[in-house]
mmCIF file of all heavy atoms in Angstrom:
data_model
loop_
_atom_site.group_PDB
_atom_site.id
_atom_site.type_symbol
_atom_site.label_atom_id
_atom_site.label_comp_id
_atom_site.label_asym_id
_atom_site.label_seq_id
_atom_site.Cartn_x
_atom_site.Cartn_y
_atom_site.Cartn_z
ATOM 1 N N LEU A 185 152.938 131.544 179.227
ATOM 2 C CA LEU A 185 152.054 131.622 180.264
ATOM 3 C C LEU A 185 150.556 132.042 179.829
ATOM 4 O O LEU A 185 149.707 132.219 180.697
ATOM 5 C CB LEU A 185 152.494 132.632 181.324
ATOM 6 C CG LEU A 185 153.900 132.326 181.943
ATOM 7 C CD1 LEU A 185 154.315 133.285 182.916
ATOM 8 C CD2 LEU A 185 153.856 130.946 182.623
ATOM 9 N N GLY A 186 150.495 132.230 178.554
ATOM 10 C CA GLY A 186 149.131 132.633 177.928
ATOM 11 C C GLY A 186 148.861 134.046 178.056
ATOM 12 O O GLY A 186 147.706 134.424 178.053
ATOM 13 N N ALA A 187 150.007 134.877 177.933
ATOM 14 C CA ALA A 187 149.808 136.337 178.043
ATOM 15 C C ALA A 187 150.584 137.047 176.976
ATOM 16 O O ALA A 187 151.532 137.675 177.320
ATOM 17 C CB ALA A 187 150.209 136.719 179.388
ATOM 18 N N PRO A 188 150.199 136.967 175.734
ATOM 19 C CA PRO A 188 151.018 137.678 174.578
ATOM 20 C C PRO A 188 150.743 139.156 174.695
ATOM 21 O O PRO A 188 149.834 139.651 175.312
ATOM 22 C CB PRO A 188 150.327 137.036 173.335
ATOM 23 C CG PRO A 188 148.962 136.659 173.729
ATOM 24 C CD PRO A 188 149.078 136.134 175.201
ATOM 25 N N PHE A 189 151.661 139.816 173.898
ATOM 26 C CA PHE A 189 151.501 141.382 173.907
ATOM 27 C C PHE A 189 150.860 141.774 172.508
ATOM 28 O O PHE A 189 151.165 141.102 171.490
ATOM 29 C CB PHE A 189 152.916 141.973 173.960
ATOM 30 C CG PHE A 189 153.674 141.754 175.212
ATOM 31 C CD1 PHE A 189 154.943 141.136 175.114
ATOM 32 C CD2 PHE A 189 153.031 142.143 176.478
ATOM 33 C CE1 PHE A 189 155.648 140.944 176.397
ATOM 34 C CE2 PHE A 189 153.786 141.905 177.563
ATOM 35 C CZ PHE A 189 155.030 141.311 177.609
ATOM 36 N N PRO A 190 150.191 142.843 172.574
ATOM 37 C CA PRO A 190 149.912 143.493 171.182
ATOM 38 C C PRO A 190 151.190 144.249 170.787
ATOM 39 O O PRO A 190 151.631 145.152 171.552
ATOM 40 C CB PRO A 190 148.715 144.357 171.496
ATOM 41 C CG PRO A 190 148.908 144.771 173.026
ATOM 42 C CD PRO A 190 149.528 143.536 173.654
ATOM 43 N N VAL A 191 151.771 143.866 169.682
ATOM 44 C CA VAL A 191 153.198 144.285 169.383
ATOM 45 C C VAL A 191 153.276 145.792 169.108
ATOM 46 O O VAL A 191 154.255 146.442 169.594
ATOM 47 C CB VAL A 191 153.630 143.518 168.207
ATOM 48 C CG1 VAL A 191 155.070 143.862 167.836
ATOM 49 C CG2 VAL A 191 153.627 141.964 168.540
ATOM 50 N N GLU A 192 152.376 146.324 168.376
ATOM 51 C CA GLU A 192 152.605 147.743 167.819
ATOM 52 C C GLU A 192 152.300 148.835 168.764
ATOM 53 O O GLU A 192 152.494 150.026 168.492
ATOM 54 C CB GLU A 192 151.765 147.901 166.548
ATOM 55 C CG GLU A 192 152.103 147.075 165.363
ATOM 56 C CD GLU A 192 151.381 145.779 165.323
ATOM 57 O OE1 GLU A 192 150.804 145.383 166.403
ATOM 58 O OE2 GLU A 192 151.446 145.154 164.181
ATOM 59 N N ILE A 193 151.647 148.584 169.966
ATOM 60 C CA ILE A 193 151.376 149.570 170.831
ATOM 61 C C ILE A 193 152.044 149.439 172.194
ATOM 62 O O ILE A 193 152.566 148.381 172.569
ATOM 63 C CB ILE A 193 149.768 149.642 171.106
ATOM 64 C CG1 ILE A 193 149.329 148.352 171.816
ATOM 65 C CG2 ILE A 193 148.977 149.843 169.822
ATOM 66 C CD1 ILE A 193 147.941 148.275 172.220
ATOM 67 N N ASN A 194 152.058 150.535 172.965
ATOM 68 C CA ASN A 194 152.719 150.498 174.353
ATOM 69 C C ASN A 194 151.809 149.761 175.286
ATOM 70 O O ASN A 194 150.912 150.495 175.765
ATOM 71 C CB ASN A 194 153.114 151.995 174.706
ATOM 72 C CG ASN A 194 154.190 152.496 173.903
ATOM 73 O OD1 ASN A 194 155.137 151.812 173.479
ATOM 74 N ND2 ASN A 194 154.118 153.869 173.736
ATOM 75 N N HIS A 195 152.081 148.586 175.560
ATOM 76 C CA HIS A 195 151.096 147.808 176.144
ATOM 77 C C HIS A 195 151.029 147.762 177.682
ATOM 78 O O HIS A 195 150.016 147.587 178.265
ATOM 79 C CB HIS A 195 151.238 146.233 175.677
ATOM 80 C CG HIS A 195 152.698 145.871 175.390
ATOM 81 N ND1 HIS A 195 153.572 145.806 176.319
ATOM 82 C CD2 HIS A 195 153.314 145.755 174.242
ATOM 83 C CE1 HIS A 195 154.822 145.583 175.702
ATOM 84 N NE2 HIS A 195 154.685 145.459 174.392
ATOM 85 N N ILE A 196 152.170 147.960 178.371
ATOM 86 C CA ILE A 196 152.201 147.732 179.780
ATOM 87 C C ILE A 196 151.783 149.001 180.452
ATOM 88 O O ILE A 196 152.160 150.139 180.209
ATOM 89 C CB ILE A 196 153.734 147.418 180.225
ATOM 90 C CG1 ILE A 196 154.022 146.047 179.932
ATOM 91 C CG2 ILE A 196 153.917 147.677 181.774
ATOM 92 C CD1 ILE A 196 155.242 145.588 180.473
ATOM 93 N N VAL A 197 150.907 148.842 181.516
ATOM 94 C CA VAL A 197 150.447 149.982 182.353
ATOM 95 C C VAL A 197 150.517 149.605 183.811
ATOM 96 O O VAL A 197 150.607 148.432 184.200
ATOM 97 C CB VAL A 197 149.019 150.364 182.040
ATOM 98 C CG1 VAL A 197 148.774 150.769 180.643
ATOM 99 C CG2 VAL A 197 148.017 149.134 182.373
ATOM 100 N N ASP A 198 150.649 150.673 184.615
ATOM 101 C CA ASP A 198 150.726 150.461 186.138
ATOM 102 C C ASP A 198 149.328 150.346 186.628
ATOM 103 O O ASP A 198 148.375 151.157 186.437
ATOM 104 C CB ASP A 198 151.345 151.774 186.765
ATOM 105 C CG ASP A 198 151.509 151.637 188.244
ATOM 106 O OD1 ASP A 198 151.067 150.622 188.916
ATOM 107 O OD2 ASP A 198 152.231 152.493 188.840
ATOM 108 N N ARG A 199 149.144 149.116 187.354
ATOM 109 C CA ARG A 199 147.832 148.894 187.897
ATOM 110 C C ARG A 199 147.697 149.077 189.402
ATOM 111 O O ARG A 199 146.761 148.621 190.115
ATOM 112 C CB ARG A 199 147.312 147.459 187.452
ATOM 113 C CG ARG A 199 147.253 147.210 186.041
ATOM 114 C CD ARG A 199 146.545 145.945 185.625
ATOM 115 N NE ARG A 199 145.165 145.966 186.044
ATOM 116 C CZ ARG A 199 144.413 144.770 186.082
ATOM 117 N NH1 ARG A 199 144.992 143.710 185.824
ATOM 118 N NH2 ARG A 199 143.169 144.865 186.403
ATOM 119 N N GLY A 200 148.703 149.831 189.948
ATOM 120 C CA GLY A 200 148.676 150.149 191.381
ATOM 121 C C GLY A 200 149.284 149.059 192.193
ATOM 122 O O GLY A 200 150.284 149.377 193.029
ATOM 123 N N VAL A 201 148.947 147.777 192.106
ATOM 124 C CA VAL A 201 149.478 146.711 192.858
ATOM 125 C C VAL A 201 150.153 145.703 191.871
ATOM 126 O O VAL A 201 150.240 144.548 192.114
ATOM 127 C CB VAL A 201 148.474 145.935 193.747
ATOM 128 C CG1 VAL A 201 147.979 146.856 194.790
ATOM 129 C CG2 VAL A 201 147.245 145.601 192.894
ATOM 130 N N GLY A 202 150.676 146.243 190.853
ATOM 131 C CA GLY A 202 151.315 145.357 189.785
ATOM 132 C C GLY A 202 151.268 146.035 188.497
ATOM 133 O O GLY A 202 150.822 147.243 188.348
ATOM 134 N N LEU A 203 151.517 145.351 187.435
ATOM 135 C CA LEU A 203 151.516 145.862 186.077
ATOM 136 C C LEU A 203 150.559 144.998 185.286
ATOM 137 O O LEU A 203 150.135 143.873 185.634
ATOM 138 C CB LEU A 203 152.948 145.785 185.445
ATOM 139 C CG LEU A 203 154.068 146.498 186.194
ATOM 140 C CD1 LEU A 203 155.410 146.136 185.721
ATOM 141 C CD2 LEU A 203 153.774 148.029 186.053
ATOM 142 N N GLY A 204 150.228 145.477 184.106
ATOM 143 C CA GLY A 204 149.220 144.788 183.357
ATOM 144 C C GLY A 204 149.120 145.235 181.834
ATOM 145 O O GLY A 204 149.824 146.252 181.508
ATOM 146 N N TRP A 205 148.453 144.519 181.023
ATOM 147 C CA TRP A 205 148.233 144.858 179.643
ATOM 148 C C TRP A 205 146.846 144.204 179.232
ATOM 149 O O TRP A 205 146.295 143.264 179.859
ATOM 150 C CB TRP A 205 149.341 144.640 178.723
ATOM 151 C CG TRP A 205 149.825 143.130 178.643
ATOM 152 C CD1 TRP A 205 149.302 142.164 177.711
ATOM 153 C CD2 TRP A 205 150.705 142.454 179.479
ATOM 154 N NE1 TRP A 205 149.923 141.007 178.013
ATOM 155 C CE2 TRP A 205 150.733 141.128 178.947
ATOM 156 C CE3 TRP A 205 151.520 142.839 180.551
ATOM 157 C CZ2 TRP A 205 151.621 140.185 179.566
ATOM 158 C CZ3 TRP A 205 152.361 141.856 181.158
ATOM 159 C CH2 TRP A 205 152.351 140.541 180.581
ATOM 160 N N ILE A 206 146.432 144.624 178.089
ATOM 161 C CA ILE A 206 145.156 144.065 177.502
ATOM 162 C C ILE A 206 145.540 143.684 176.045
ATOM 163 O O ILE A 206 146.299 144.352 175.305
ATOM 164 C CB ILE A 206 144.089 145.165 177.562
ATOM 165 C CG1 ILE A 206 142.756 144.508 177.120
ATOM 166 C CG2 ILE A 206 144.385 146.358 176.802
ATOM 167 C CD1 ILE A 206 141.500 145.317 177.501
ATOM 168 N N TYR A 207 144.842 142.607 175.628
ATOM 169 C CA TYR A 207 145.130 142.065 174.209
ATOM 170 C C TYR A 207 143.894 141.391 173.714
ATOM 171 O O TYR A 207 142.997 140.978 174.511
ATOM 172 C CB TYR A 207 146.276 141.152 174.152
ATOM 173 C CG TYR A 207 146.124 139.842 174.866
ATOM 174 C CD1 TYR A 207 145.732 138.724 174.125
ATOM 175 C CD2 TYR A 207 146.286 139.705 176.238
ATOM 176 C CE1 TYR A 207 145.505 137.449 174.744
ATOM 177 C CE2 TYR A 207 146.158 138.493 176.817
ATOM 178 C CZ TYR A 207 145.672 137.340 176.118
ATOM 179 O OH TYR A 207 145.497 136.251 176.813
ATOM 180 N N LEU A 208 143.685 141.414 172.453
ATOM 181 C CA LEU A 208 142.636 140.711 171.761
ATOM 182 C C LEU A 208 142.914 139.192 171.799
ATOM 183 O O LEU A 208 143.989 138.737 171.539
ATOM 184 C CB LEU A 208 142.416 141.166 170.429
ATOM 185 C CG LEU A 208 141.843 142.593 170.282
ATOM 186 C CD1 LEU A 208 141.686 142.929 168.799
ATOM 187 C CD2 LEU A 208 140.447 142.737 170.940
ATOM 188 N N ASP A 209 141.906 138.431 171.991
ATOM 189 C CA ASP A 209 141.973 137.008 172.138
ATOM 190 C C ASP A 209 142.050 136.262 170.762
ATOM 191 O O ASP A 209 141.175 135.508 170.421
ATOM 192 C CB ASP A 209 140.781 136.383 172.928
ATOM 193 C CG ASP A 209 140.994 134.951 173.335
ATOM 194 O OD1 ASP A 209 142.202 134.473 173.302
ATOM 195 O OD2 ASP A 209 140.027 134.247 173.706
ATOM 196 N N GLY A 210 143.028 136.610 170.039
ATOM 197 C CA GLY A 210 143.204 135.952 168.730
ATOM 198 C C GLY A 210 142.881 136.920 167.592
ATOM 199 O O GLY A 210 142.264 137.969 167.739
ATOM 200 N N PRO A 211 143.417 136.592 166.315
ATOM 201 C CA PRO A 211 143.268 137.416 165.197
ATOM 202 C C PRO A 211 141.739 137.620 164.806
ATOM 203 O O PRO A 211 141.021 136.640 164.728
ATOM 204 C CB PRO A 211 144.005 136.721 163.989
ATOM 205 C CG PRO A 211 144.014 135.235 164.504
ATOM 206 C CD PRO A 211 144.148 135.304 166.013
ATOM 207 N N GLY A 212 141.330 138.812 164.663
ATOM 208 C CA GLY A 212 139.947 139.102 164.265
ATOM 209 C C GLY A 212 138.953 138.946 165.364
ATOM 210 O O GLY A 212 137.734 139.072 165.157
ATOM 211 N N LYS A 213 139.480 138.738 166.572
ATOM 212 C CA LYS A 213 138.484 138.521 167.727
ATOM 213 C C LYS A 213 138.042 139.874 168.237
ATOM 214 O O LYS A 213 138.654 140.826 168.134
ATOM 215 C CB LYS A 213 139.193 137.711 168.765
ATOM 216 C CG LYS A 213 139.590 136.311 168.414
ATOM 217 C CD LYS A 213 138.505 135.433 168.207
ATOM 218 C CE LYS A 213 138.964 133.962 167.898
ATOM 219 N NZ LYS A 213 137.844 132.994 167.776
ATOM 220 N N ALA A 214 136.870 139.842 168.898
ATOM 221 C CA ALA A 214 136.322 141.029 169.523
ATOM 222 C C ALA A 214 136.493 140.968 171.020
ATOM 223 O O ALA A 214 136.110 141.986 171.655
ATOM 224 C CB ALA A 214 134.851 141.236 169.115
ATOM 225 N N THR A 215 136.891 139.958 171.541
ATOM 226 C CA THR A 215 137.032 139.684 172.958
ATOM 227 C C THR A 215 138.490 140.064 173.425
ATOM 228 O O THR A 215 139.500 139.629 172.835
ATOM 229 C CB THR A 215 136.820 138.226 173.361
ATOM 230 O OG1 THR A 215 135.447 137.825 172.933
ATOM 231 C CG2 THR A 215 136.900 138.050 174.849
ATOM 232 N N ALA A 216 138.557 140.888 174.450
ATOM 233 C CA ALA A 216 139.845 141.321 174.937
ATOM 234 C C ALA A 216 140.046 140.702 176.344
ATOM 235 O O ALA A 216 139.081 140.393 177.053
ATOM 236 C CB ALA A 216 139.866 142.873 175.100
ATOM 237 N N LYS A 217 141.278 140.426 176.591
ATOM 238 C CA LYS A 217 141.673 139.816 177.896
ATOM 239 C C LYS A 217 142.650 140.771 178.584
ATOM 240 O O LYS A 217 143.469 141.335 177.984
ATOM 241 C CB LYS A 217 142.395 138.447 177.697
ATOM 242 C CG LYS A 217 141.369 137.328 177.257
ATOM 243 C CD LYS A 217 142.022 136.041 177.278
ATOM 244 C CE LYS A 217 141.054 134.886 176.920
ATOM 245 N NZ LYS A 217 141.844 133.601 176.878
ATOM 246 N N ILE A 218 142.572 140.771 179.909
ATOM 247 C CA ILE A 218 143.391 141.731 180.821
ATOM 248 C C ILE A 218 144.352 140.676 181.440
ATOM 249 O O ILE A 218 144.092 139.804 182.054
ATOM 250 C CB ILE A 218 142.648 142.445 181.781
ATOM 251 C CG1 ILE A 218 141.759 143.564 181.004
ATOM 252 C CG2 ILE A 218 143.503 143.155 182.777
ATOM 253 C CD1 ILE A 218 140.850 144.249 181.948
ATOM 254 N N VAL A 219 145.665 141.080 181.495
ATOM 255 C CA VAL A 219 146.727 140.404 182.191
ATOM 256 C C VAL A 219 147.155 141.257 183.339
ATOM 257 O O VAL A 219 147.363 142.405 183.222
ATOM 258 C CB VAL A 219 147.935 140.187 181.200
ATOM 259 C CG1 VAL A 219 149.002 139.476 181.851
ATOM 260 C CG2 VAL A 219 147.464 139.363 179.967
ATOM 261 N N HIS A 220 147.364 140.590 184.494
ATOM 262 C CA HIS A 220 147.816 141.228 185.654
ATOM 263 C C HIS A 220 149.228 140.555 186.052
ATOM 264 O O HIS A 220 149.296 139.284 186.223
ATOM 265 C CB HIS A 220 146.956 141.130 186.830
ATOM 266 C CG HIS A 220 147.354 141.870 188.066
ATOM 267 N ND1 HIS A 220 147.333 143.237 188.157
ATOM 268 C CD2 HIS A 220 147.790 141.472 189.295
ATOM 269 C CE1 HIS A 220 147.753 143.699 189.309
ATOM 270 N NE2 HIS A 220 148.115 142.609 190.003
ATOM 271 N N LEU A 221 150.230 141.298 186.228
ATOM 272 C CA LEU A 221 151.562 140.814 186.497
ATOM 273 C C LEU A 221 152.153 141.352 187.695
ATOM 274 O O LEU A 221 152.147 142.561 187.980
ATOM 275 C CB LEU A 221 152.435 141.184 185.299
ATOM 276 C CG LEU A 221 153.946 140.709 185.389
ATOM 277 C CD1 LEU A 221 154.046 139.166 185.244
ATOM 278 C CD2 LEU A 221 154.799 141.319 184.339
ATOM 279 N N ARG A 222 152.654 140.498 188.601
ATOM 280 C CA ARG A 222 153.319 140.898 189.917
ATOM 281 C C ARG A 222 154.753 140.445 189.838
ATOM 282 O O ARG A 222 155.002 139.224 189.416
ATOM 283 C CB ARG A 222 152.622 140.381 191.098
ATOM 284 C CG ARG A 222 151.348 141.075 191.435
ATOM 285 C CD ARG A 222 150.679 140.650 192.732
ATOM 286 N NE ARG A 222 149.449 141.273 193.030
ATOM 287 C CZ ARG A 222 148.757 141.030 194.113
ATOM 288 N NH1 ARG A 222 149.134 140.244 194.996
ATOM 289 N NH2 ARG A 222 147.691 141.654 194.267
ATOM 290 N N CYS A 223 155.697 141.242 190.191
ATOM 291 C CA CYS A 223 157.054 140.869 190.214
ATOM 292 C C CYS A 223 157.521 140.879 191.704
ATOM 293 O O CYS A 223 157.292 141.817 192.416
ATOM 294 C CB CYS A 223 157.901 141.888 189.287
ATOM 295 S SG CYS A 223 157.494 141.851 187.609
ATOM 296 N N ARG A 224 158.376 139.929 192.044
ATOM 297 C CA ARG A 224 158.836 139.872 193.428
ATOM 298 C C ARG A 224 160.312 139.221 193.362
ATOM 299 O O ARG A 224 160.496 138.341 192.516
ATOM 300 C CB ARG A 224 157.952 139.102 194.397
ATOM 301 C CG ARG A 224 157.701 137.650 194.035
ATOM 302 C CD ARG A 224 156.772 136.929 194.991
ATOM 303 N NE ARG A 224 156.516 135.621 194.637
ATOM 304 C CZ ARG A 224 155.737 134.725 195.336
ATOM 305 N NH1 ARG A 224 154.962 135.251 196.216
ATOM 306 N NH2 ARG A 224 155.682 133.525 195.003
ATOM 307 N N ARG A 225 161.035 139.601 194.373
ATOM 308 C CA ARG A 225 162.354 138.909 194.429
ATOM 309 C C ARG A 225 162.240 137.566 195.043
ATOM 310 O O ARG A 225 161.405 137.283 195.926
ATOM 311 C CB ARG A 225 163.313 139.774 195.410
ATOM 312 C CG ARG A 225 163.697 141.125 194.807
ATOM 313 C CD ARG A 225 164.542 141.851 195.764
ATOM 314 N NE ARG A 225 164.985 143.211 195.297
ATOM 315 C CZ ARG A 225 166.074 143.436 194.598
ATOM 316 N NH1 ARG A 225 166.842 142.417 194.101
ATOM 317 N NH2 ARG A 225 166.368 144.677 194.147
ATOM 318 N N THR A 226 163.146 136.655 194.553
ATOM 319 C CA THR A 226 163.158 135.309 195.129
ATOM 320 C C THR A 226 164.611 135.063 195.472
ATOM 321 O O THR A 226 165.552 135.464 194.764
ATOM 322 C CB THR A 226 162.687 134.295 194.170
ATOM 323 O OG1 THR A 226 163.443 134.279 193.013
ATOM 324 C CG2 THR A 226 161.189 134.464 193.772
ATOM 325 N N GLY A 227 164.818 134.157 196.506
ATOM 326 C CA GLY A 227 166.152 133.905 196.881
ATOM 327 C C GLY A 227 166.935 135.064 197.494
ATOM 328 O O GLY A 227 166.329 136.104 197.913
#
Side-chain angles (χ1 to χ4, degrees):
L185 302 177
F189 297 123
V191 179
E192 294 92 343
I193 64 174
N194 290 327
H195 32 71
I196 287 186
V197 297
D198 184 351
R199 299 190 69 194
V201 290
L203 303 168
W205 60 92
I206 189 168
Y207 69 96
L208 290 178
D209 189 20
K213 300 289 186 178
T215 302
K217 290 186 175 180
I218 294 174
V219 176
H220 185 71
L221 179 69
R222 290 186 179 181
C223 300
R224 63 183 182 183
R225 291 183 183 271
T226 59

